[in-house]
Amino acid sequence: MPVSRRDVLRCAAAVSASAALGAAAGKQAPAAAAASPTLIDFAMRQIPAEAIRAAGHAGVINYVSTSRPGSSFGAKPITLPYAKSLTAAGLVIVSNYQYGKPGGTAPSDFTRGYPGGVADAKAAWHLHTAAGGGRTAPIYFSVDDDIDRQTWNDLALPWFRGINSVIGVMRTGIYAGIRPCQWATADGVIGRSQTPGRVWAWQTRSWSNGQIFPHAVLYQRIIDTASNPGPVVGGIRVDVNDVLAQDCGQWNFHP
């Protein structure tokens, strides 16, 4: 079948984006590598690697957590066969843990304090390594809520310290709005990227008032909602994240 100019451009974008990330792992990148590769995150089901590449994305942020009671998300958790298919297609993988959710059938993970952090880190590390995740790669733990400083100090900070006690600070990252990203950095509970000046902060546009944390490695720019749907990749709507650092915690850079 004839290949359209649009398909050629999409393929070129995917190759450039993957090369830009792969350069951190010692692979040669083309001179005109994409300035801002993107990773997608999703939960509904596994999206074929070919569809992700065709859409021009460099890889995925995938869950190393199971579905909440009453739900059945096909992409939770990431599996070894799926991870292998992504890697074989030249796509990168970043790990994220989120089990509970505000208003969901399980409470937000961070509300369970230090003991909850210990339990969540053990569960996340088991699923991460079972899927072939890098032994030195970080896992981003989600604060999927607009919390204040008191809630951070009383609940989320002890939760992160529980996580640190299991997998160490250098393997701990945060997903949150700008303020928890700042607090986590100041309190020393998340690790540092090998990209100078960057930490394991995956910042969402939500609750960030249009600001981007200058030390973040990932920025969730497009958030799929009923009122503002995200782009469709492989038949499902996804969130889109800008890669802000060459080392954003991708498995291939952290064997």
Side-chain angles (χ1 to χ4, degrees):
M1 295 178 62
V3 179
S4 70
R5 182 174 180 272
R6 185 176 183 181
D7 288 338
V8 170
L9 291 175
R10 280 182 171 177
C11 182
V15 171
S16 295
S18 296
L21 289 176
K27 299 177 182 176
Q28 186 175 358
S36 183
T38 53
L39 306 180
I40 57 173
D41 68 275
F42 48 90
M44 188 61 62
R45 61 177 173 81
Q46 296 174 344
I47 300 175
E50 296 77 12
I52 297 171
R53 282 184 59 89
H57 301 291
V60 306
I61 305 170
N62 217 145
Y63 290 100
V64 289
S65 51
T66 56
S67 297
R68 293 179 291 278
S71 62
S72 181
F73 294 112
K76 297 182 73 171
I78 188 171
T79 61
L80 181 58
Y82 184 55
K84 285 183 175 179
S85 74
L86 295 171
T87 301
L91 300 172
V92 302
I93 305 168
V94 174
S95 290
N96 168 239
Y97 181 90
Q98 183 175 1
Y99 179 71
K101 182 178 181 178
T105 54
S108 296
D109 303 324
F110 71 85
T111 63
R112 300 187 301 115
Y114 189 97
V118 171
D120 291 342
K122 289 179 178 178
W125 192 246
H126 169 72
L127 293 170
H128 170 87
T129 54
R135 291 281 174 169
T136 62
I139 298 173
Y140 293 86
F141 291 83
S142 301
V143 179
D144 196 9
D145 205 350
D146 186 16
I147 65 172
D148 58 21
R149 186 58 187 260
Q150 195 64 48
T151 302
W152 170 263
N153 289 340
D154 293 347
L155 295 175
L157 180 56
W159 180 61
F160 273 100
R161 287 183 171 148
I163 293 166
N164 293 163
S165 73
V166 176
I167 63 174
V169 172
M170 281 307 299
R171 289 196 293 253
T172 303
I174 186 173
Y175 164 88
I178 189 168
R179 293 188 302 167
C181 288
Q182 293 170 327
W183 300 332
T185 303
D187 288 332
V189 292
I190 58 174
R192 295 187 175 276
S193 164
Q194 294 187 49
T195 300
R198 301 286 178 164
V199 296
W200 300 137
W202 171 20
Q203 181 193 346
T204 175
R205 179 171 55 83
S206 300
W207 319 302
S208 292
N209 301 313
Q211 298 176 299
I212 298 180
F213 183 43
H215 304 294
V217 292
L218 293 163
Y219 179 68
Q220 191 179 54
R221 175 170 47 87
I222 298 176
I223 303 166
D224 173 53
T225 63
S227 59
N228 189 23
V232 175
V233 179
I236 67 170
R237 302 201 311 251
V238 301
D239 301 328
V240 179
N241 306 272
D242 293 330
V243 177
L244 306 179
Q246 223 173 23
D247 174 18
C248 62
Q250 63 268 42
W251 291 6
N252 65 308
F253 194 29
H254 297 273

PDB file of all heavy atoms in Angstrom, residues 49 62 88 95 117 119 146-147 165 170 174 184 191 202 225 233:
ATOM      1  N   ALA A  49       2.509  -1.690  20.658  1.00  0.00           N
ATOM      2  CA  ALA A  49       3.694  -0.866  20.447  1.00  0.00           C
ATOM      3  C   ALA A  49       3.652  -0.157  19.104  1.00  0.00           C
ATOM      4  O   ALA A  49       4.044   1.008  18.983  1.00  0.00           O
ATOM      5  CB  ALA A  49       4.950  -1.736  20.553  1.00  0.00           C
ATOM      6  N   ASN A  62       4.007   3.376  32.572  1.00  0.00           N
ATOM      7  CA  ASN A  62       3.052   2.287  32.797  1.00  0.00           C
ATOM      8  C   ASN A  62       2.999   1.919  34.288  1.00  0.00           C
ATOM      9  O   ASN A  62       3.965   2.081  35.016  1.00  0.00           O
ATOM     10  CB  ASN A  62       3.424   1.064  31.968  1.00  0.00           C
ATOM     11  CG  ASN A  62       2.210   0.321  31.430  1.00  0.00           C
ATOM     12  OD1 ASN A  62       2.247  -0.219  30.331  1.00  0.00           O
ATOM     13  ND2 ASN A  62       1.120   0.272  32.191  1.00  0.00           N
ATOM     14  N   ALA A  88      11.190  -4.097  22.174  1.00  0.00           N
ATOM     15  CA  ALA A  88      11.548  -4.572  20.831  1.00  0.00           C
ATOM     16  C   ALA A  88      11.209  -3.539  19.764  1.00  0.00           C
ATOM     17  O   ALA A  88      11.859  -3.493  18.713  1.00  0.00           O
ATOM     18  CB  ALA A  88      10.829  -5.884  20.542  1.00  0.00           C
ATOM     19  N   SER A  95       8.200   3.558  35.134  1.00  0.00           N
ATOM     20  CA  SER A  95       7.263   2.930  36.070  1.00  0.00           C
ATOM     21  C   SER A  95       6.555   3.937  36.975  1.00  0.00           C
ATOM     22  O   SER A  95       7.176   4.879  37.477  1.00  0.00           O
ATOM     23  CB  SER A  95       8.002   1.918  36.954  1.00  0.00           C
ATOM     24  OG  SER A  95       8.397   0.783  36.217  1.00  0.00           O
ATOM     25  N   GLY A 117       3.329   3.321  52.997  1.00  0.00           N
ATOM     26  CA  GLY A 117       4.466   3.489  52.110  1.00  0.00           C
ATOM     27  C   GLY A 117       5.307   2.231  52.014  1.00  0.00           C
ATOM     28  O   GLY A 117       5.764   1.854  50.932  1.00  0.00           O
ATOM     29  N   ALA A 119       4.251  -0.890  52.517  1.00  0.00           N
ATOM     30  CA  ALA A 119       3.483  -1.891  51.769  1.00  0.00           C
ATOM     31  C   ALA A 119       3.447  -1.572  50.279  1.00  0.00           C
ATOM     32  O   ALA A 119       3.605  -2.463  49.431  1.00  0.00           O
ATOM     33  CB  ALA A 119       2.063  -1.974  52.331  1.00  0.00           C
ATOM     34  N   ASP A 146      -4.951  17.616  45.210  1.00  0.00           N
ATOM     35  CA  ASP A 146      -4.448  18.958  45.506  1.00  0.00           C
ATOM     36  C   ASP A 146      -4.308  19.098  47.010  1.00  0.00           C
ATOM     37  O   ASP A 146      -5.225  19.559  47.696  1.00  0.00           O
ATOM     38  CB  ASP A 146      -5.410  20.001  44.945  1.00  0.00           C
ATOM     39  CG  ASP A 146      -4.875  21.417  45.083  1.00  0.00           C
ATOM     40  OD1 ASP A 146      -3.665  21.573  45.320  1.00  0.00           O
ATOM     41  OD2 ASP A 146      -5.674  22.367  44.944  1.00  0.00           O
ATOM     42  N   ILE A 147      -3.159  18.677  47.542  1.00  0.00           N
ATOM     43  CA  ILE A 147      -2.982  18.670  48.994  1.00  0.00           C
ATOM     44  C   ILE A 147      -2.277  19.949  49.465  1.00  0.00           C
ATOM     45  O   ILE A 147      -1.556  20.597  48.702  1.00  0.00           O
ATOM     46  CB  ILE A 147      -2.201  17.427  49.461  1.00  0.00           C
ATOM     47  CG1 ILE A 147      -0.759  17.437  48.938  1.00  0.00           C
ATOM     48  CG2 ILE A 147      -2.915  16.159  49.014  1.00  0.00           C
ATOM     49  CD1 ILE A 147       0.109  16.333  49.523  1.00  0.00           C
ATOM     50  N   SER A 165      12.297   3.557  52.840  1.00  0.00           N
ATOM     51  CA  SER A 165      12.863   2.519  53.712  1.00  0.00           C
ATOM     52  C   SER A 165      12.948   1.167  53.005  1.00  0.00           C
ATOM     53  O   SER A 165      13.721   0.299  53.413  1.00  0.00           O
ATOM     54  CB  SER A 165      12.020   2.380  54.986  1.00  0.00           C
ATOM     55  OG  SER A 165      10.775   1.730  54.730  1.00  0.00           O
ATOM     56  N   MET A 170      16.988   6.908  46.027  1.00  0.00           N
ATOM     57  CA  MET A 170      17.379   7.015  44.620  1.00  0.00           C
ATOM     58  C   MET A 170      16.448   6.273  43.668  1.00  0.00           C
ATOM     59  O   MET A 170      16.473   6.518  42.473  1.00  0.00           O
ATOM     60  CB  MET A 170      18.811   6.525  44.423  1.00  0.00           C
ATOM     61  CG  MET A 170      19.863   7.542  44.824  1.00  0.00           C
ATOM     62  SD  MET A 170      19.620   9.171  44.030  1.00  0.00           S
ATOM     63  CE  MET A 170      19.764   8.744  42.301  1.00  0.00           C
ATOM     64  N   ILE A 174       8.123  11.022  42.422  1.00  0.00           N
ATOM     65  CA  ILE A 174       6.788  11.508  42.770  1.00  0.00           C
ATOM     66  C   ILE A 174       6.052  11.948  41.515  1.00  0.00           C
ATOM     67  O   ILE A 174       6.639  12.521  40.605  1.00  0.00           O
ATOM     68  CB  ILE A 174       6.855  12.685  43.774  1.00  0.00           C
ATOM     69  CG1 ILE A 174       5.447  13.093  44.234  1.00  0.00           C
ATOM     70  CG2 ILE A 174       7.600  13.881  43.173  1.00  0.00           C
ATOM     71  CD1 ILE A 174       5.437  14.137  45.344  1.00  0.00           C
ATOM     72  N   ALA A 184       8.740  17.474  48.064  1.00  0.00           N
ATOM     73  CA  ALA A 184       9.453  16.193  48.036  1.00  0.00           C
ATOM     74  C   ALA A 184      10.942  16.411  47.782  1.00  0.00           C
ATOM     75  O   ALA A 184      11.796  15.735  48.365  1.00  0.00           O
ATOM     76  CB  ALA A 184       8.865  15.276  46.967  1.00  0.00           C
ATOM     77  N   GLY A 191      14.772  10.816  44.456  1.00  0.00           N
ATOM     78  CA  GLY A 191      16.134  10.756  43.966  1.00  0.00           C
ATOM     79  C   GLY A 191      16.425  11.751  42.851  1.00  0.00           C
ATOM     80  O   GLY A 191      15.546  12.500  42.397  1.00  0.00           O
ATOM     81  N   TRP A 202       7.674  13.839  38.387  1.00  0.00           N
ATOM     82  CA  TRP A 202       6.765  13.809  37.242  1.00  0.00           C
ATOM     83  C   TRP A 202       5.621  14.728  37.614  1.00  0.00           C
ATOM     84  O   TRP A 202       4.763  14.390  38.413  1.00  0.00           O
ATOM     85  CB  TRP A 202       6.305  12.383  36.989  1.00  0.00           C
ATOM     86  CG  TRP A 202       5.209  12.226  35.977  1.00  0.00           C
ATOM     87  CD1 TRP A 202       4.823  13.112  35.002  1.00  0.00           C
ATOM     88  CD2 TRP A 202       4.332  11.092  35.835  1.00  0.00           C
ATOM     89  NE1 TRP A 202       3.773  12.613  34.273  1.00  0.00           N
ATOM     90  CE2 TRP A 202       3.459  11.371  34.755  1.00  0.00           C
ATOM     91  CE3 TRP A 202       4.213   9.871  36.514  1.00  0.00           C
ATOM     92  CZ2 TRP A 202       2.470  10.476  34.358  1.00  0.00           C
ATOM     93  CZ3 TRP A 202       3.229   8.985  36.102  1.00  0.00           C
ATOM     94  CH2 TRP A 202       2.374   9.283  35.038  1.00  0.00           C
ATOM     95  N   THR A 225      -9.837  13.803  30.114  1.00  0.00           N
ATOM     96  CA  THR A 225     -11.027  13.894  30.958  1.00  0.00           C
ATOM     97  C   THR A 225     -12.261  13.820  30.068  1.00  0.00           C
ATOM     98  O   THR A 225     -12.174  13.970  28.841  1.00  0.00           O
ATOM     99  CB  THR A 225     -11.059  15.217  31.757  1.00  0.00           C
ATOM    100  OG1 THR A 225     -11.139  16.317  30.827  1.00  0.00           O
ATOM    101  CG2 THR A 225      -9.822  15.373  32.625  1.00  0.00           C
ATOM    102  N   VAL A 233      -4.932   6.822  20.899  1.00  0.00           N
ATOM    103  CA  VAL A 233      -3.812   6.016  20.420  1.00  0.00           C
ATOM    104  C   VAL A 233      -4.228   4.552  20.557  1.00  0.00           C
ATOM    105  O   VAL A 233      -4.602   4.110  21.641  1.00  0.00           O
ATOM    106  CB  VAL A 233      -2.520   6.278  21.228  1.00  0.00           C
ATOM    107  CG1 VAL A 233      -1.383   5.392  20.718  1.00  0.00           C
ATOM    108  CG2 VAL A 233      -2.117   7.748  21.153  1.00  0.00           C
TER     109      VAL A 233
END
